[in-house]
C-alpha cells in the first residue's frame, strides 16, 4: 500500500500577486507541491474589474474558465460578445482572443482556472515507413 499526501481540509491556499492590470492586481493561488510535482493539474487566480473598465485583450495556448462571482458585464471572445452575471462560467478555448468589460455599477470579481490544452492529434502518414505503395 502506497501512502499519498493530500493537504488537510482546513488548510487555506496561499495567494500571491501574479500581475497588475489597469484595474488592479491579479492574485494567484499557490498549490502545494507533492514530492516535487504540482498537486493540481491547473492554476487558478482571482481578479477584480472596476465599473466601466475593460481588461486587456488576452490570448494564450492554455484553456481557461472564468467564473463570475460579483458584478455584471460582457465577455468578448474574438468578435462575439456575451453578457455575464454572477454564477456564469465562461470557457476560453486555446488561442481565442478574449477580454472582459464591466458594464455594471459594482466591481466584478472573477475566478479563473487554466490548464494546458491537450496535444493536437498527429495524423498517421506513410512517410518514413519504408512502404512505397
Amino acid at each position: 500500500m502506497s501512502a499519498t499526501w493530500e493537504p488537510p481540509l482546513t488548510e487555506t491556499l496561499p495567494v500571491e500577486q501574479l500581475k497588475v492590470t489597469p484595474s488592479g492586481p491579479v492574485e494567484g493561488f499557490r498549490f502545494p507541491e507533492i514530492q516535487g510535482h504540482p498537486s493540481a493539474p491547473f492554476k487558478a487566480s482571482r481578479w477584480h474589474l472596476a465599473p466601466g473598465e475593460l481588461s486587456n485583450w488576452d490570448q494564450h495556448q492554455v484553456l481557461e474558465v472564468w467564473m463570475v462571482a460579483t458584478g455584471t458585464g460582457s465577455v468578448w471572445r474574438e468578435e462575439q460578445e456575451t453578457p455575464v452575471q454572477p454564477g456564469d462560467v465562461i470557457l476560453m478555448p486555446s488561442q481565442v482572443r478574449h477580454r472582459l468589460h464591466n458594464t455594471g455599477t459594482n466591481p466584478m470579481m472573477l475566478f479563473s482556472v487554466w490548464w494546458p490544452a491537450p496535444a493536437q492529434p498527429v495524423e498517421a502518414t506513410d512517410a518514413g515507413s519504408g512502404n512505397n505503395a
Side-chain angles (χ1 to χ4, degrees):
M1 176 190 293
S2 66
T4 59
W5 179 90
E6 291 193 24
L9 293 176
T10 57
E11 185 177 320
T12 59
L13 295 175
V15 176
E16 67 180 37
Q17 184 172 300
L18 300 178
K19 64 182 178 179
V20 176
T21 66
S23 64
V26 174
E27 300 171 315
F29 300 93
R30 181 182 296 270
F31 294 93
E33 287 194 352
I34 302 170
Q35 298 174 350
H37 299 284
S39 60
F42 58 86
K43 294 187 178 182
S45 68
R46 67 179 175 209
W47 52 287
H48 298 84
L49 193 63
E53 292 285 327
L54 277 166
S55 69
N56 295 332
W57 282 105
D58 198 10
Q59 182 176 351
H60 39 66
Q61 291 192 346
V62 298
L63 294 166
E64 184 175 18
V65 170
W66 288 351
M67 294 156 277
V68 180
T70 64
T72 56
S74 293
V75 171
W76 287 87
R77 287 175 287 189
E78 299 293 353
E79 304 303 319
Q80 179 184 359
E81 179 183 15
T82 304
V84 293
Q85 62 186 0
D88 286 348
V89 176
I90 306 98
L91 173 65
M92 307 302 172
S94 179
Q95 295 301 337
V96 170
R97 274 180 8 127
H98 54 275
R99 74 185 309 177
L100 178 68
H101 181 202
N102 182 341
T103 59
T105 57
N106 296 312
M108 291 187 80
M109 182 171 65
L110 293 96
F111 291 89
S112 175
V113 177
W114 63 96
W115 60 96
Q120 297 297 318
V122 178
E123 291 187 30
T125 66
D126 287 334
S129 67
N131 294 338
N132 292 326

